[in-house]
Each structure stands twice: as structure tokens, then as C-alpha cells.
């Protein structure tokens, strides 16, 4: 790093301001090092360095930072677009398998870049900004490039601050679960509930799950947290009606760890909860970290009788290859598609195609984030059978969820039955061609 820092100082001394620094972090390197040994790991790093030097333009300087990280200094880069292109290219070439003596190494890489501005006081700060951007890529879309902006630093600082507080938190006392109904569009009745974690910290107050889950991942305490939450959820749910399923979120680090998975299996077994009523939700990005290991984890859960849902579908890689290969029972379509479904024909076409795809694959499609009657009607006219969203209910604590169940309308009182949707409704939503 010192060498790179002095290089940056030299370039800046020449009054060249069109400068960016970057960090490349490899995915999958550690596993290869662990399985094939350090000597194979060293050869692989050399192959990575060689491949990079073949594709990098002459004005880009590359150096290994240590571990599986490389530093980059890009001078004379006068616009963001060319920097993004460079980052994309690096990520792309890292995905091409490396032919080693005895095996093919499948890696990936994420890149963070920071552009020079006059407020940057020293090279250390400059690389720190690139590191924030890199973290953003790793957290949000592994295998991609991010160019630094202040919001990346703010988010990461918030997550780190929360991670420090989490270390002193009592998960058993401070963490709780709320439950959001997952509802049939046919009769408006709940078919299951998704358990969602809540943390009320005595010091920070209520912390958003997006932040504390990420913090727990960073602090290495997510496996312990998941185990405690699963125990709580199974305990809460055991007295709920038997025709309801429980959906539970797993983090990337849960499915990447065989030990953590065995612990979860033991919790399910001990609870005596019927595993067929239990769905585990995983995201595509959580599969990316170590695909083989993640598949082993999913198969372990499936063999126990549990169901698997692919969560937030459409936000990450949305790779149909995953949909085909994973032992999926359900696919949860992200709420981003639903927001404009009434006004945007393209959003409707995508959602419709997804619902059809799920029907053909015999995978249950759950549409998330349904907030109003217009969205509900549009979706049920498309043949969507299961939805989740504020239109029916926000997440509820255990007592309120039981009250919700007790107060549900009977199917004949439910006035949104899609069976009464006429072809006019379908024409209106642009899903059916008018004969006229
Ligand atoms: P997610 O798994 O995508 O969960 C759905 C999120 O959408 C929930 O946010 C839910 O409250 C929100 N939501 C549901 N319906 C609507 C709607 O109609 N409109 C809008 N705008 N939002 C809606 P929440 O509870 O804040 O959770 C955020 C994320 O935190 C979850 O996203 C999940 O990724 C993570 N999370 C929550 N609980 C757990 C957990 O126990 N374990 C793990 N690993 N992650 C969790
Ligand atoms: Ca979820």
C-alpha cells in the first residue's frame, strides 16, 4: 500500500488531477487456497495479475495489496463512464475460469473506484474512498463496479457503528420478530406469514433490519442471530393454525456455512415443527458467494422437507440459470416491479411473464410490495395467486397477527375474487387483446 500511496503522491505532484484509484477484491479465492493449498493459491494470484496486466490500458498501474486484493491507479481518466467501463471489463475477465495445472479456478471480482477531488487530503483517504465503493459493490451486487459517492461512506459508517453496538447486545432480549401475512388473491385469506426481525437497542432505539442484518454479517454474528430468531419463530408459530406456513429469511453467511446450517437443522428437529410448513428465503446474491456450498445447504433443507423461496427476484443477477438449477418451490418477485404496475406497460409485461414462467416451472410465484387495490386487481387479473404487501397488512407482532387471522373476512365476503374478473378487466390492463 505504501508503494501505491507514494505513486499517487507523485502523480498529484505533477498537477495531474484526472486521477482515480481503485481496489479489486476477488471472490472465491479463499476457498481455492483452502482446498488446493497456498502454492496453488500463489500461482492463481500470478495468473490473475498476468490477465489483468494484459487488459489494462497503459495508464493504469496495478499492484497487489495483500490477500486477494489488488490496488489500481488510473491516471488521465477524465470521465466516470470510462472508469465504469474499465471496472466492468475487470469484473468480466475475472469471471472467465483460470486454467490451472490440475483444476479450473472459478473466480469473480468486485471493484470500487474513487475519483480525485480537491478535498482529498492524502492518498490513504483516497484509497479509503475506493474501499467504501468496493464494499458497496460487495454488499449490493458482487461482481460489479462502484464509483464512490458520499452515501457509500455514510451507509458503511452507520453499519460499522451499529456493528459495534451489536457486539454488546443481548440477542435473546433485544431482538424480536414481526410477521407479515402472505395472502391468497383467490379468497383474501392468509396462507402463511414471513417472519421479519426487529431490534430495539437500548442505546440506538429501533434500528432498521436492513442495517442491523448487514452489521451482524460484517461483525460475524449473523449465524448466532439467525439461530436465535429461528428458535423464536418456531416457538411463536407452533400454536398457529396448521394450514399456515412460516417463511424465514436466511443470510448469505448462513447458507455459506455448513456448521451454521447443521445448527439450523438441529433447531428445526428439536422444535418438532412440521418442516413441510417451513420455507427458507434466500437471495440470488447469497448464492453467488459460494455456489456449491449454497446448493449443499439448500439440498440439506429440502431433504428435511422444508421449502425454498428465491427472495427479491429481479433486483440482483436475475439469472434464469439459477431458477433452473436451484431446488426452488417459490419465487418472490421484488416490489420494485409492482410500484408502477398500473401505469407502466413494460412493468406489467415483465410481471406477467414472470408469473407465466413460474406456472410453467411449477414454482409458486409470490408478488411482494402490493400496496393498493389497483395493484392488487392488476395482479389478480394476470393470474397471480399469492401476494404480500401493505395492502393486506404491514408486519404485525405475534398478538396482532393472531387477531388479524381471527378477523379475516370469510371467502364469500371477499369482494376481489379474480374469478369474477372479466375479459374487460384483462383488456383494460392490456393483458388481453380486444376482439374489436
Ligand atoms: P425482505 O426479505 O425483502 O422483506 C420484505 C420487506 O419489505 C420487509 O421490510 C417488509 O416490511 C417490507 N414490505 C412488505 N410489504 C411492503 C409494501 O407493501 N411496501 C413496502 N414499501 N415495503 C413492504 P423489513 O421488515 O424492513 O425488512 C427488510 C429486510 O431486512 C428484509 O427484506 C430482509 O432482507 C432483511 N431481514 C428482515 N428480517 C430478517 C431476518 O430475520 N433474517 C435475515 N437474514 N434478514 C432479515
Ligand atoms: Ca424475505
Amino acid at each position: 500500500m505504501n508503494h501505491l500511496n507514494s505513486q499517487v503522491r507523485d502523480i498529484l505532484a505533477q498537477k495531474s488531477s484526472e486521477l482515480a484509484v481503485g481496489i479489486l477484491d476477488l471472490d472465491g479465492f479463499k476457498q481455492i487456497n483452502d482446498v488446493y493449498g497456498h502454492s496453488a493459491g500463489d500461482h492463481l494470484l500470478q495468473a490473475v495479475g498476468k490477465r489483468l496486466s494484459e487488459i489494462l490500458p497503459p495508464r493504469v498501474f496495478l499492484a497487489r495489496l495483500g490477500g486477494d486484493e489488488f490496488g489500481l491507479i488510473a491516471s488521465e481518466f477524465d470521465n466516470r463512464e470510462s472508469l465504469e467501463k474499465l471496472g466492468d471489463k475487470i469484473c468480466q475477465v475475472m469471471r472467465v475460469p483460470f486454467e490451472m495445472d490440475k483444476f479450473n479456478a472459478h473466480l469473480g471480482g468486485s471493484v470500487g473506484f474513487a475519483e480525485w477531488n480537491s478535498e482529498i487530503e492524502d492518498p490513504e483517504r483516497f484509497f479509503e474512498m475506493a474501499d467504501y465503493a468496493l464494499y458497496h459493490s460487495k454488499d449490493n451486487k458482487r461482481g460489479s463496479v462502484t464509483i464512490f459517492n458520499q452515501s457509500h461512506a455514510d451507509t458503511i459508517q452507520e453499519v460499522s457503528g451499529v456493528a459495534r453496538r451489536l457486539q454488546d447486545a443481548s440477542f435473546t432480549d433485544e431482538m424480536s420478530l414481526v410477521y407479515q401475512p402472505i395472502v391468497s388473491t383467490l379468497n383474501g385469506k392468509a396462507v402463511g406469514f414471513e417472519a421479519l426481525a426487529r431490534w430495539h437497542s437500548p442505546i440506538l432505539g429501533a434500528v432498521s433490519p436492513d442495517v442491523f442484518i448487514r452489521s451482524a454479517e460484517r461483525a460475524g454474528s449473523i449465524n448466532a442471530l439467525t439461530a436465535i430468531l429461528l428458535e423464536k419463530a418456531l416457538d411463536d408459530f407452533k400454536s398457529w393454525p396448521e394450514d399456515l406456513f412460516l417463511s424465514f429469511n436466511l443470510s448469505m453467511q448462513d447458507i455459506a456455512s455448513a456448521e451454521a446450517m447443521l445448527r439450523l437443522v438441529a433447531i428445526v428437529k428439536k422444535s418438532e415443527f412440521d418442516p413441510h410448513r417451513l420455507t427458507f428465503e434466500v437471495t440470488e446474491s447469497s448464492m453467488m458467494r459460494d455456489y456449491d456450498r449454497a446448493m449443499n445447504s439448500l439440498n440439506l433443507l429440502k431433504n428435511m422437507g422444508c421449502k425454498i423461496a428465491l427472495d427479491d427476484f429481479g433486483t440482483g443477477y436475475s439469472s434464469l440459470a439459477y431458477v433452473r438449477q436451484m431446488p426452488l418451490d417459490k419465487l418472490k418477485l421484488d416490489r420494485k416491479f409492482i410500484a408502477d404496475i398500473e401505469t407502466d406497460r413494460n412493468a406489467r409485461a415483465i410481471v406477467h411473464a414472470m408469473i407465466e414462467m413460474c406456472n410453467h416451472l411449477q414454482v409458486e410465484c409470490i408478488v411482494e410490495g402490493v400496496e393498493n387495490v389497483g395493484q392488487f386487481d392488476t395482479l389478480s387479473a394476470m393470474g397471480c395467486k399469492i401476494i404480500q404487501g401493505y395492502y393486506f397488512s404491514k408486519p404485525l407482532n405475534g398478538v396482532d397477527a393472531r387477531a388479524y387471522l381471527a378477523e379475516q373476512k370469510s371467502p364469500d365476503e371477499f369482494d376481489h375474487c379474480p374469478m369474477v374478473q372479466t375479459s374487460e378487466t384483462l383488456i383494460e390492463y392490456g393483458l388481453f387483446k380486444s376482439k374489436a
Side-chain angles (χ1 to χ4, degrees):
M1 194 62 159
N2 284 342
H3 179 50
L4 282 181
N5 285 341
S6 60
Q7 188 105 357
V8 170
R9 273 196 197 94
D10 288 350
I11 298 172
L12 290 175
Q14 293 158 22
K15 302 263 180 283
S16 166
S17 60
E18 286 160 358
L19 181 66
V21 298
I23 303 177
L24 159 69
D25 180 277
L26 299 178
D27 286 328
F29 175 76
K30 188 177 171 302
Q31 287 84 346
I32 289 172
N33 214 26
D34 289 349
V35 173
Y36 296 99
H38 292 274
S39 157
D42 288 346
H43 281 111
L44 181 56
L45 286 173
Q46 281 164 14
V48 169
K50 184 164 176 286
R51 189 179 285 180
L52 285 171
S53 52
E54 279 161 8
I55 60 126
L56 291 176
R59 298 178 318 281
V60 180
F61 178 82
L62 174 80
R64 184 160 161 229
L65 292 180
D68 55 2
E69 281 193 344
F70 290 81
L72 297 147
I73 301 175
S75 51
E76 294 171 48
F77 266 74
D78 52 358
N79 67 55
R80 208 158 241 258
E81 209 187 339
S82 47
L83 208 53
E84 260 161 5
K85 271 195 189 144
L86 174 66
D88 276 340
K89 193 166 178 188
I90 295 174
C91 296
Q92 263 170 27
V93 299
M94 286 302 106
R95 283 196 285 271
V96 179
F98 288 84
E99 279 180 36
M100 308 304 288
D101 279 349
K102 297 197 176 92
F103 63 96
N104 279 348
H106 294 262
L107 295 181
S110 305
V111 176
F113 271 121
E115 295 166 296
W116 171 255
N117 72 58
S118 56
E119 282 168 25
I120 300 171
E121 280 164 10
D122 51 56
E124 286 82 2
R125 167 71 189 145
F126 204 4
F127 274 104
E128 190 184 36
M129 288 158 61
D131 207 26
Y132 283 133
L134 171 66
Y135 261 107
H136 183 86
S137 283
K138 283 168 52 173
D139 277 352
N140 293 281
K141 194 170 175 190
R142 270 177 188 262
S144 71
V145 56
T146 301
I147 317 278
F148 174 84
N149 71 41
Q150 189 51 39
S151 74
H152 303 142
D154 294 345
T155 312
I156 285 155
Q157 276 155 2
E158 187 187 5
V159 167
S160 313
V162 170
R164 280 194 295 278
R165 296 287 178 203
L166 258 184
Q167 272 166 352
D168 305 326
S170 156
F171 290 167
T172 320
D173 299 335
E174 294 171 29
M175 296 286 173
S176 61
L177 284 164
V178 287
Y179 298 90
Q180 187 175 32
I182 299 173
V183 179
S184 158
T185 58
L186 299 175
N187 56 19
K189 289 199 106 178
V191 289
F193 281 80
E194 177 176 1
L196 293 158
R198 295 291 178 260
W199 179 30
H200 197 278
S201 150
I203 299 155
L204 303 171
V207 183
S208 151
D210 282 322
V211 174
F212 74 76
I213 295 289
R214 226 182 251 198
S215 305
E217 286 173 342
R218 184 139 320 153
S221 51
I222 188 72
N223 296 156
L225 177 58
T226 305
I228 287 174
L229 290 172
L230 182 62
E231 265 176 357
K232 265 187 203 271
L234 294 174
D235 192 44
D236 281 352
F237 221 74
K238 67 178 177 225
S239 56
W240 294 29
E242 282 185 6
D243 55 348
L244 294 173
F245 69 81
L246 167 67
S247 219
F248 186 86
N249 292 285
L250 291 181
S251 132
M252 177 188 313
Q253 287 174 19
D254 295 320
I255 58 172
S257 156
E259 206 186 333
M261 292 311 297
L262 290 173
R263 196 157 146 205
L264 298 183
V265 168
I267 290 171
V268 177
K269 289 205 169 131
K270 190 166 160 237
S271 75
E272 294 180 5
F273 188 84
D274 177 1
H276 297 95
R277 290 175 60 202
L278 184 55
T279 299
F280 285 101
E281 300 191 5
V282 298
T283 59
E284 276 174 293
S285 49
S286 66
M287 298 294 298
M288 280 297 287
R289 180 159 167 150
D290 182 341
Y291 184 73
D292 292 338
R293 233 181 242 206
M295 283 294 269
N296 288 342
S297 300
L298 298 192
N299 286 325
L300 187 72
L301 299 173
K302 281 290 283 188
N303 290 339
M304 209 181 24
C306 301
K307 300 204 164 58
I308 307 293
L310 187 56
D311 204 4
D312 301 337
F313 189 74
T315 51
Y317 298 87
S318 303
S319 161
L320 298 180
Y322 282 126
V323 176
R324 207 165 67 101
Q325 284 166 12
M326 283 170 67
L328 277 191
D329 300 283
K330 308 177 186 186
L331 187 146
K332 298 188 77 175
L333 198 51
D334 192 76
R335 63 172 185 266
K336 287 200 183 77
F337 291 107
I338 312 309
D340 305 327
I341 197 167
E342 292 166 277
T343 49
D344 181 349
R345 248 188 124 80
N346 292 341
R348 277 202 297 281
I350 292 174
V351 173
H352 194 215
M354 296 287 185
I355 295 171
E356 292 283 297
M357 178 186 81
C358 288
N359 286 342
H360 288 302
L361 292 171
Q362 295 180 323
V363 168
E364 197 173 83
C365 183
I366 301 175
V367 178
E368 292 194 88
V370 180
E371 292 187 349
N372 60 51
V373 66
Q375 293 168 342
F376 176 87
D377 284 342
T378 311
L379 287 163
S380 37
M382 284 177 182
C384 167
K385 296 195 184 72
I386 315 268
I387 63 156
Q388 184 178 347
Y390 294 170
Y391 176 56
F392 275 99
S393 172
K394 292 204 165 177
L396 303 165
N397 66 35
V399 175
D400 291 344
R402 299 297 297 270
Y404 174 90
L405 287 173
E407 284 163 16
Q408 282 186 121
K409 286 184 180 168
S410 72
D412 41 317
E413 284 173 300
F414 185 65
D415 47 9
H416 283 293
C417 182
M419 295 306 172
V420 302
Q421 300 283 1
T422 59
S423 53
E424 278 78 47
T425 327
L426 294 172
I427 292 164
E428 192 188 322
Y429 291 119
L431 297 170
F432 221 69
K433 283 208 177 72
S434 161
K435 282 188 188 136

